[in-house]
Amino acid sequence: GPGALAAEEDPPGSGAALALNLAARQRMLTQKATKEVLLLALQVDRKGNAQRLAGTRDLFEATHRRLRDGDTGMGGVPKASAGVTTELAKVWQAWQQLRVLIEQALAGEVDVAGVRRESAEVLQPIDAMVSVTEAEVRTGAPGVAARAVNLAGRQRMLSQKMTKELLLIALRHEVEATRKGLKGSAALFAKTLKGLSAGDPDLGLEPLKYAITITKLSVETMTIRVGKRNKDKGSFYGRKEDEQTVLLL
């Protein structure tokens, strides 16, 4: 099934895991859009980055509608609960502030300070929405490693956020504060990466009982296979039917 770390035999779990995966991806898309705005400010591949920015904007908004309304015909995303719907409304309101700046950038005018501010502001309601979604998945689909799915999604956001911060430094914008933010982003990425495998009580992550290998990787998805650890050789074995696909983009 398409859900990250979802139980294949549990359709509700698969749908819940996909919803959580998509919710977590929204964080990344805001930072990706900001990165693309800043690349326009730097006059880097204006046509290509404008096309990518428009695509990122459209994907964010299509995903928002999918999370809100459900989409059982395209992968089993359940309609949002009342609690998630409330948080989604706050996300949409915050997104509008960033969207105005995206449209300005597409028209040829980049407000670097505004984009830096709004790309940080929009993360707060998205984090709250993802947390509510995670809590519901944890209760309703115990076969899904909800915390791990959430934080794996945050890793995607951090990779885009670090690129954004590097571009802000290149633009000489709030250099010292941005360097400090970049250092914090890198530290959190490294801590989470380690925690996803070895466990981290600060992050609410349990150590993996099973090893995971990547069997297929593309720009948009990653296919993983879960198997038992081999203590002697550090390797593991797993069945092809246990493979699952994780959204990356």
Side-chain angles (χ1 to χ4, degrees), residues 125-183:
I126 297 178
D127 276 336
M129 181 268 292
V130 175
S131 293
V132 172
T133 304
E134 179 193 335
E136 291 187 0
V137 171
R138 193 187 299 274
T139 301
V144 177
R147 187 62 176 164
V149 173
N150 182 350
L151 295 188
R154 191 177 69 182
Q155 293 290 79
R156 292 176 285 182
M157 179 276 290
L158 288 171
S159 68
Q160 296 292 327
K161 182 172 181 283
M162 286 186 283
T163 306
K164 174 190 79 172
E165 289 159 343
L166 287 168
L167 293 172
L168 285 167
I169 292 170
L171 287 161
R172 310 303 298 169
H173 181 78
E174 299 286 346
V175 173
E176 289 307 314
T178 303
R179 281 178 177 160
K180 183 177 180 181
L182 176 58
K183 184 177 180 180

Side-chain angles (χ1 to χ4, degrees), residues 23-136:
R25 190 180 67 176
Q26 292 291 77
R27 288 179 295 206
M28 180 276 289
L29 290 174
T30 66
Q31 303 307 292
K32 181 175 183 287
T34 305
K35 175 193 73 177
E36 290 156 350
V37 168
L38 297 177
L39 285 168
L40 290 176
L42 287 165
Q43 304 289 319
V44 175
D45 185 13
R46 286 192 57 82
K47 182 179 179 180
N49 278 303
Q51 290 175 342
R52 284 185 283 273
L53 175 58
T56 303
R57 173 203 62 198
D58 293 346
L59 180 57
F60 181 95
E61 295 185 347
T63 302
H64 181 91
R65 291 189 293 270
R66 192 176 179 191
L67 288 168
R68 182 191 63 201
D69 301 332
D71 196 0
T72 54
M74 288 183 60
V77 178
K79 183 177 180 179
S81 67
V84 173
T85 299
T86 297
E87 300 304 325
L88 281 169
K90 297 174 185 176
V91 169
W92 189 252
Q93 184 176 7
W95 166 251
Q96 297 311 305
Q97 308 306 310
L98 182 58
R99 195 186 198 281
V100 167
L101 299 171
I102 290 171
E103 296 305 318
Q104 288 179 1
L106 289 171
E109 181 182 345
V110 177
D111 179 355
V112 174
V115 167
R116 179 178 186 268
R117 179 184 66 251
E118 296 304 332
S119 68
E121 289 291 327
V122 74
L123 287 177
Q124 298 177 30
I126 297 178
D127 276 336
M129 181 268 292
V130 175
S131 293
V132 172
T133 304
E134 179 193 335
E136 291 187 0

